[in-house]
Amino acid sequence: MAKKSYREAINEAIAQEMRRDENVLVWGEDNAGGAGGEGEQDAWGGVLGVTKGLLGEFGPERVLDTPISESAFIGAAVGAAATGLRPVAELMFADFMGVCFDQIYNQAAKFRYMFGGKAVTPLVIRTMYGAGFRAASQHSQTLYPMFTHIPGLKVIVPSSPYDAKGLMIQAIRDDDPCIFFENKVMYDDEEEVPDDSYTIPFGEANVIREGEDATIVAFGRMVGMARQAADALEKEGISCTVVDPRTTSPLDTDTILECVEDTGRLVVVDEGYPRCSMASDVSSIVAQHAFKALKGPIQMVTAPHAPVPFSPELEDEYVPNADKIVAAVRATLA
Amino acid sequence: MQMNREDLLKSYSTMRTIRDFEERVHEEFASGDIPGFVHLYAGEEASAVGVCSHLENRDVIASTHRGHGHCIAKGCDTREMMLELYGRGEGLCGGKGGSMHIADIEKGMLGANGIVGAGPPLICGAALTAKYKKTGGVAVAFFGDGGSNQGTTLESYNLAKVWNLPVIFVVEDNGYAEATSSSYAVAGDQLDRATGFGMPSARVDGHDYFAVREAAGEMIERARTGGGPSLLHVMLDRFFGHFEGDAMTYRAEGEVQNIRDNKDCLKIFRKRVTEAGLLTDEQLDKIDTDVMAHINACIDESKTASPPSLSTLTTDVYISY
Amino acid sequence: MTKDIRAITMPKWGLAMTEGELTAWLVDEGAFVDEKFEIAEIETTKITNVFESPISGKVRKLVAHTGEVLPIGALLAVIAADEISDDEIDNYVSKFQEDFVPEEDGASDDPVHQKITVGDHQISYLKIGDGNNDPVLLIHGFGADTVSWMFNQSVLADGRAVYAIDLPGHGRSSKSIPDGSIASMAKIVSGLISALGLKNVHLIGHSFGGALAIAAAEESGAKSITVIGSCGLGKEINTKFLQGFIDGKRGKHLKPVLEQLVFDKSLIGGDMINEVIKFKRIDGVPAALQALVDSNFANGLQSTDLRGILSKLLIPVSVIWGANDEIISVSHSQGLGSNVSVSIIENSGHIPQMEKSSEVNDIILKSIGN
């Protein structure tokens, strides 16, 4: 076992599955990077290098560069999945869903249901999300709530390198269409990741720490923020449970409810917009099913109802952080 | 291109099945028994059957909202299709899809589709599967003149050519995208579009089964042997409106009657094969009788068949969840 | 008395440990401690352990706070005689903290896990130490790995090579176990000993590994064997533990299962439970564990009786058992032959080599000869 980055963990997961199953193929814009040019053929390995090296091992039949045509190549992934391949297609930034969403939410998500249970569409769409790169409104959004809304999709939001590898292998082996959200700010985060292949089941929340005073449910990059907040609060004698649901669909509501029943207070942290978000979703689930356990108002820590700004000062203010989570925990305890 | 008598009978029978299926659905829809929307393919049969008569189960097609003809031509069970149109539990999709989502993946029918232009990207994927697995299979995207204007379709021309995929794009040009004429809404020429992407293409008279079959055969053979994608522009006419209930006030007076009288692909087929002495009127009449009886039986059964169990409301959303 | 100020620092237990959490001080400032006096509890990612003072003297200052996570080598406490002033102590602490640089990952000379092929298996092992004394081979139990020996391996490696192995289906070894019977697994152990070229090896096995040590003793030409809470010496075994270990997928289910391993339940921390969950997620592991249970403990009873073999061994045999073992009863240590020396460890469960490591280390050192 060695320390591996979030990027390396995802790359290793894909490579191991490609070795195990020859029907796993990878494609997307610049996933090799360099096709047709006179220079290096594996020049980029994806715009942030996640698929780097796969071309060398698996060749251009299994690692394909695509034209900048998200509808065509995401749709091709759906069609290939429905006919016997297990594509791992990259939608570079989740923001680009706007140009290909039909193929995801009307086609991949609904085949099984519309076709009376006869379709199998084992597709993984990898996509980057999240603010922090000074990439402004069209390259920074946290859009997993929009995918979570759609029945038929599974939505994965890994918060650490270890989880990213196990969840990616699970996603590739899973027979349903999976949307795998990678936070671009986390690619260089490192931790111990086993060399062996392993899977983490979907719908199984990770209770990262257990406390007595409040439950913080956080997603993706926000899990790290929640841990920082919990550390800070611990010093003041406020102990928090931190829950990382790992997948937003399926969502481990049992664990969330159990934790809230134990602590009586809930703070939900979601990097997405506040309306119709995971924050509002978890809040409503808890309000419906654990109302009697609540000792204080539910608090949501989210981005504001505004696009992601460009200016570093504005963007830093935009993203939830540990201080805002600490304030929210205090507010629910007040 | 030689066809034996058996193939000719089969093609006629398939076209007749589509025609009767659609004519009867038209009648029954008017009586209010069939829920939802239906978009009928009557008049266009030579296209679906001319292309699909070359195809096997390893080959995949994607269809449109006007999908019944493609489904039947690709081998979907008409009884189960009719049950599906009525929203019955024994329907081909368990009553969950309906007219616009009939699919039978085992038969290579990747679905009718409620979204115009959704099929071509899917078909690129199916073609990649065939190419990667070296099955020798091809993939055919059927879409209309309306679908030809979607970005998805044009992106797919490009991707299919870039990846050299075994795809045949079949533009079924019935002259209208819903109520808007293709003479208004389609800029340039469909064949020039193909040329722009470096794809071979051809235009055929879609009322002539043999013309469609011959042109498609050449393209399918090229695709099977690694020659990449082609585009077939099929000129044809629909007998009915965009959807059932469409009064077709945008069409010229007498337009449909003229088509029925002079451009009916079934009549043209019959004339050709009987004059050439390949088949007799008796043989074809028997098919007409048998097919109509079969379609009527499908309708009779569908009218009284059970609806889906309510317990299936939330099944098959996922394989596991 | 010495005028020196001496530091007590975060210990390194086992290779994987890079930091530890001080979960409790067991002494107050001002206390006199002897070497080996239990002064603190430290939680690692594997298990919580009692930390025995490496030196004796007066505890002048407890520098680390309860709940603090500190890297190896970080200052925990300061030992000094009374005549050293508080200012001198404070200066010492400030200087220590200023100069302290945590060891970089991978920069150390730590031994690394190696692999060797034995039949169809890739067996991973960790070798610590070298010297002329006869080598030792450590064999872990069901569901465990080399970490079982994190408090023992270095201590035993004085003047000798000590090998800790990962059995097939465990740790870093290949995961496939076509036949999990004690006989076939013992063949893999003797095959490994031969592949490593070990002669006169002292075999030390825990639980299921104990049975393998007994079964492999003759063929591998062992010089002595030591078994801890061993299988093969009685019928009963806690199959609820075994199945719970396999089936438990979440912390709250596994915690009570793992707590059966120890006398002091507080030793089972969240990190240890997570390590077990992570282990079981690896491809092939659940099947391997189930194969072991099905081959050896079907119908809730141990299927192999090794008492006969044990009584005929002509080499020194040492049997160690936790008095409070909830997995395999301490009663299985009774009635063994006169060639067997039995040690019962009080206030210890099934893993005394972790729970009471220093007592167990002393017993082993005595039996393998120092």
Side-chain angles (χ1 to χ4, degrees):
Chain A
M1 191 145 65
K3 282 205 169 174
K4 288 164 198 160
S5 68
Y6 192 77
R7 174 189 289 107
E8 289 163 341
I10 295 166
N11 179 287
E12 184 171 278
I14 298 170
Q16 287 179 349
E17 286 306 285
M18 290 182 82
R19 278 174 217 135
R20 191 185 65 81
D21 182 350
E22 62 176 18
N23 289 329
V24 179
L25 275 69
V26 165
W27 65 78
E29 287 152 6
D30 303 304
N31 265 7
E38 288 176 12
E40 204 185 325
Q41 293 300 291
D42 189 18
W44 279 15
V47 69
L48 289 183
V50 178
T51 47
K52 182 85 175 162
L54 297 179
L55 179 73
E57 181 172 355
F58 302 105
E61 287 194 340
R62 297 182 68 190
V63 181
L64 293 89
D65 279 335
T66 66
I68 300 185
S69 309
E70 283 86 359
S71 275
F73 75 75
I74 293 293
V78 179
T83 52
L85 296 184
R86 289 185 174 271
V88 179
E90 182 185 288
L91 175 59
M92 188 187 294
F93 292 98
D95 314 66
F96 303 168
M97 65 175 268
V99 293
C100 62
F101 202 41
D102 177 66
Q103 292 292 336
I104 300 170
Y105 91 113
N106 270 328
Q107 311 298 328
K110 299 189 173 83
F111 276 1
R112 181 138 187 108
Y113 192 80
M114 293 191 306
F115 301 168
K118 284 177 291 191
V120 182
T121 313
L123 160 73
V124 179
I125 296 175
R126 295 180 38 243
T127 190
M128 279 188 274
Y129 76 101
F133 260 43
R134 319 311 191 198
S137 296
Q138 297 171 345
H139 289 72
S140 305
Q141 295 170 90
T142 296
L143 296 172
Y144 49 75
M146 298 189 69
F147 293 80
T148 306
H149 187 64
I150 307 299
L153 299 179
K154 290 178 176 171
V155 183
I156 301 105
V157 189
S159 69
S160 69
Y162 172 82
D163 279 9
K165 179 173 172 182
L167 291 167
M168 175 54 84
I169 293 177
Q170 175 66 35
I172 294 173
R173 293 181 190 175
D174 200 281
D175 282 332
D176 290 310
C178 295
I179 317 295
F180 193 89
F181 276 85
E182 301 169 11
N183 191 301
K184 59 178 90 68
V185 177
M186 292 174 64
Y187 278 131
D188 292 320
D189 287 4
E190 284 193 344
E191 70 177 342
E192 298 276 333
V193 175
D195 298 332
D196 284 318
S197 295
Y198 59 92
T199 54
I200 299 176
F202 294 160
E204 194 175 295
N206 187 14
V207 181
I208 287 168
R209 57 194 287 164
E210 289 188 71
E212 286 165 11
D213 301 315
T215 295
I216 308 174
V217 176
F219 296 88
R221 184 182 167 216
M222 295 300 107
V223 174
M225 307 275 191
R227 294 174 96 140
Q228 286 174 27
D231 284 343
L233 288 159
E234 189 81 49
K235 295 200 173 98
E236 303 175 14
I238 299 169
S239 75
C240 296
T241 295
V242 176
V243 181
D244 169 11
R246 288 192 177 119
T247 56
T248 60
S249 181
L251 182 69
D252 185 354
T253 50
D254 288 353
T255 297
I256 293 170
L257 291 171
E258 278 170 27
C259 292
V260 173
E261 271 156 15
D262 287 347
T263 60
R265 293 182 170 87
L266 173 68
V267 173
V268 197
V269 191
D270 183 359
E271 194 183 332
Y273 305 123
R275 303 288 313 282
C276 299
S277 62
M278 285 316 299
S280 61
D281 190 43
V282 169
S283 299
S284 81
I285 289 167
V286 168
Q288 279 183 73
H289 301 288
F291 187 73
K292 285 186 181 155
L294 288 172
K295 296 182 229 165
I298 295 169
Q299 298 289 325
M300 299 192 346
V301 183
T302 67
H305 189 63
V308 184
F310 166 65
S311 158
E313 289 75 11
L314 289 175
E315 190 184 37
D316 290 345
E317 177 60 21
Y318 182 92
V319 182
N321 58 32
D323 289 344
K324 291 178 187 172
I325 299 168
V326 165
V329 171
R330 288 209 186 98
T332 187
L333 285 162
Chain B
M1 195 167 26
Q2 293 298 314
M3 287 182 74
N4 63 33
R5 186 162 299 172
E6 201 179 314
D7 290 340
L8 289 169
L9 284 169
K10 185 159 183 266
S11 288
Y12 180 79
S13 172
T14 308
M15 288 199 291
R16 174 57 67 193
T17 303
I18 297 169
R19 175 66 55 83
D20 288 356
F21 190 97
E22 301 294 61
E23 295 276 11
R24 291 289 290 114
V25 166
H26 173 74
E27 290 166 24
E28 295 299 327
F29 189 85
S31 74
D33 281 354
I34 298 176
F37 303 123
V38 288
H39 308 79
L40 300 181
Y41 193 74
E44 305 186 4
E45 294 86 350
S47 175
V49 181
V51 173
C52 292
S53 62
H54 293 286
L55 303 182
E56 307 161 17
N57 278 352
R58 65 177 168 162
D59 303 315
V60 176
I61 68 164
S63 174
T64 69
H65 55 286
R66 197 175 306 290
H68 304 166
H70 305 126
C71 294
I72 293 170
K74 196 66 175 67
C76 293
D77 184 90
T78 43
R79 173 185 164 270
E80 290 179 345
M81 282 176 63
M82 193 66 82
L83 285 161
E84 186 64 29
L85 258 61
Y86 276 82
R88 303 308 188 190
E90 279 187 67
L92 190 53
C93 303
K96 286 176 167 172
S99 166
M100 274 191 285
H101 305 301
I102 292 173
D104 194 340
I105 301 221
E106 279 181 18
K107 296 218 165 74
M109 170 59 205
L110 198 48
N113 211 305
I115 306 297
V116 172
L122 299 172
I123 257 351
C124 287
L128 182 66
T129 301
K131 182 182 178 185
Y132 174 74
K133 293 191 167 188
K134 299 185 171 61
T135 65
V138 301
V140 180
F142 289 99
F143 50 93
D145 45 295
S148 79
N149 288 335
Q150 283 282 25
T152 48
T153 303
L154 296 162
E155 284 188 18
S156 298
Y157 292 173
N158 188 58
L159 186 66
K161 185 67 188 175
V162 166
W163 282 355
N164 193 39
L165 297 174
V167 174
I168 296 90
F169 296 102
V170 180
V171 191
E172 294 183 323
D173 188 343
N174 62 21
Y176 298 97
E178 301 192 352
T180 302
S181 170
S182 57
S183 66
Y184 167 83
V186 180
D189 187 296
Q190 298 286 359
L191 301 193
D192 289 343
R193 293 185 180 187
T195 305
F197 290 97
M199 269 192 295
S201 63
R203 179 156 31 238
V204 291
D205 175 3
H207 311 94
D208 179 351
Y209 166 82
F210 295 99
V212 175
R213 181 175 153 91
E214 184 173 351
E218 192 183 308
M219 292 177 175
I220 289 166
E221 183 56 26
R222 178 162 54 237
R224 284 205 201 286
T225 52
S230 310
L231 182 144
L232 183 61
H233 185 200
V234 186
M235 305 302 295
L236 36 64
D237 292 283
R238 56 168 148 87
F239 287 1
F240 298 112
H242 167 64
F243 48 74
E244 284 311 275
D246 172 6
M248 292 196 284
T249 48
Y250 50 87
R251 296 182 88 162
E253 204 169 324
E255 180 182 317
V256 173
Q257 194 53 52
N258 181 43
I259 292 163
R260 281 191 180 263
D261 292 345
N262 301 311
K263 291 181 168 183
D264 180 337
C265 57
L266 280 158
K267 287 182 186 163
I268 293 170
F269 184 98
R270 176 184 280 256
K271 185 158 186 283
R272 182 86 60 86
V273 295
T274 49
E275 282 180 4
L278 296 166
L279 299 175
T280 64
D281 277 319
E282 290 72 31
Q283 285 173 305
L284 299 174
D285 290 345
K286 178 166 184 342
I287 288 174
D288 292 351
T289 313
D290 291 351
V291 166
M292 185 52 87
H294 170 65
I295 297 295
N296 282 333
C298 292
I299 287 178
D300 290 345
E301 182 188 355
S302 297
K303 281 183 175 174
T304 55
S306 303
S309 158
L310 295 186
S311 67
T312 66
L313 180 64
T314 56
T315 59
D316 291 324
V317 180
Y318 296 92
I319 292 170
S320 62
Y321 195 63
Chain C
M1 224 178 188
T2 173
K3 287 194 70 176
D4 292 345
I5 307 176
R6 287 170 303 158
I8 294 181
T9 60
M10 180 63 75
K12 182 172 176 67
W13 290 324
L15 282 187
M17 182 169 169
T18 55
E19 60 183 26
E21 179 182 346
L22 180 75
T23 49
W25 278 117
L26 304 177
V27 292
D28 294 321
E29 285 181 1
F32 279 97
V33 296
D34 287 326
E35 202 180 318
K36 289 207 163 188
F37 189 84
E38 296 182 350
I39 56 169
E41 281 181 3
I42 293 171
E43 183 178 353
T44 72
T45 55
K46 309 300 174 189
I47 194 169
T48 303
N49 195 39
V50 173
F51 180 39
E52 298 172 348
S53 178
I55 50 179
S56 51
K58 181 169 182 178
V59 179
R60 291 292 302 276
K61 194 173 180 70
L62 300 179
V63 180
H65 304 291
T66 303
E68 232 178 321
V69 177
L70 294 164
I72 289 161
L75 188 59
L76 298 178
V78 178
I79 301 270
D82 279 333
E83 55 262 42
I84 310 280
S85 73
D86 286 351
D87 282 351
E88 283 175 279
I89 300 279
D90 288 345
N91 287 340
Y92 176 88
V93 171
S94 327
K95 175 121 180 44
F96 188 104
Q97 304 293 40
E98 209 169 287
D99 295 345
F100 178 64
V101 182
E103 187 183 284
E104 290 242 351
D105 269 348
S108 71
D109 301 330
D110 280 343
V112 292
H113 290 262
Q114 301 175 67
K115 277 194 178 156
I116 190 164
T117 303
V118 180
D120 297 333
H121 307 279
Q122 289 284 313
I123 302 296
S124 170
Y125 65 93
L126 178 66
K127 180 189 175 193
I128 296 183
D130 232 324
N132 295 326
N133 294 330
D134 293 323
V136 168
L137 188 85
L138 303 169
I139 312 166
H140 65 76
F142 171 85
D145 59 19
T146 56
V147 170
S148 292
W149 311 105
M150 64 189 284
F151 304 120
N152 321 104
Q153 191 174 4
S154 300
V155 177
L156 302 179
D158 191 12
R160 69 174 87 240
V162 179
Y163 296 80
I165 67 165
D166 285 332
L167 290 170
H170 295 75
R172 291 169 166 79
S173 291
S174 53
K175 299 300 181 291
S176 158
I177 300 185
D179 173 5
S181 69
I182 285 173
S184 72
M185 295 289 282
K187 276 218 178 326
I188 296 168
V189 171
S190 32
L192 171 72
I193 289 166
S194 142
L196 290 170
L198 303 184
K199 305 273 184 243
N200 300 323
V201 63
H202 298 284
L203 290 183
I204 300 177
H206 172 237
S207 193
F208 183 70
L212 301 185
I214 298 168
E218 195 173 324
E219 195 174 331
S220 57
K223 191 164 188 192
S224 79
I225 64 169
T226 301
V227 299
I228 305 167
S230 183
C231 289
L233 303 178
K235 274 282 175 204
E236 306 77 29
I237 185 160
N238 182 343
T239 47
K240 275 193 187 152
F241 167 80
L242 296 170
Q243 208 55 51
F245 187 94
I246 292 175
D247 295 340
K249 296 202 164 40
R250 313 177 78 154
K252 64 175 180 182
H253 302 135
L254 267 171
K255 190 163 190 280
V257 173
L258 296 178
E259 281 176 351
Q260 297 175 84
L261 286 168
V262 288
F263 174 70
D264 176 0
K265 306 305 181 197
S266 72
L267 299 183
I268 305 298
D271 287 345
M272 178 189 184
I273 296 167
N274 278 336
E275 290 289 311
V276 171
I277 292 172
K278 286 180 176 181
F279 163 60
K280 296 199 305 158
R281 285 185 183 133
I282 289 172
D283 283 1
V285 167
L289 296 177
Q290 196 63 54
L292 290 180
V293 169
D294 293 346
S295 299
N296 301 294
F297 313 116
N299 310 317
L301 294 170
Q302 300 191 42
S303 54
T304 306
D305 182 356
L306 298 169
R307 282 186 167 240
I309 294 178
L310 192 71
S311 66
K312 293 194 188 96
L313 288 176
L314 302 173
I315 51 173
V317 176
S318 166
V319 171
I320 300 172
W321 226 291
N324 312 90
D325 193 328
E326 296 173 40
I327 311 299
I328 304 175
S329 166
V330 66
S331 64
H332 292 199
S333 64
Q334 291 167 8
L336 301 169
S338 53
N339 62 329
V340 177
S341 109
V342 176
S343 315
I344 307 298
I345 313 288
E346 294 302 323
N347 298 331
S348 174
H350 187 59
I351 45 174
Q353 80 275 23
M354 300 185 94
E355 199 170 2
K356 296 285 172 189
S357 55
S358 116
E359 277 178 65
V360 170
N361 287 339
D362 289 347
I363 295 166
I364 295 174
L365 283 171
K366 205 183 287 173
S367 63
I368 64 177
N370 204 356

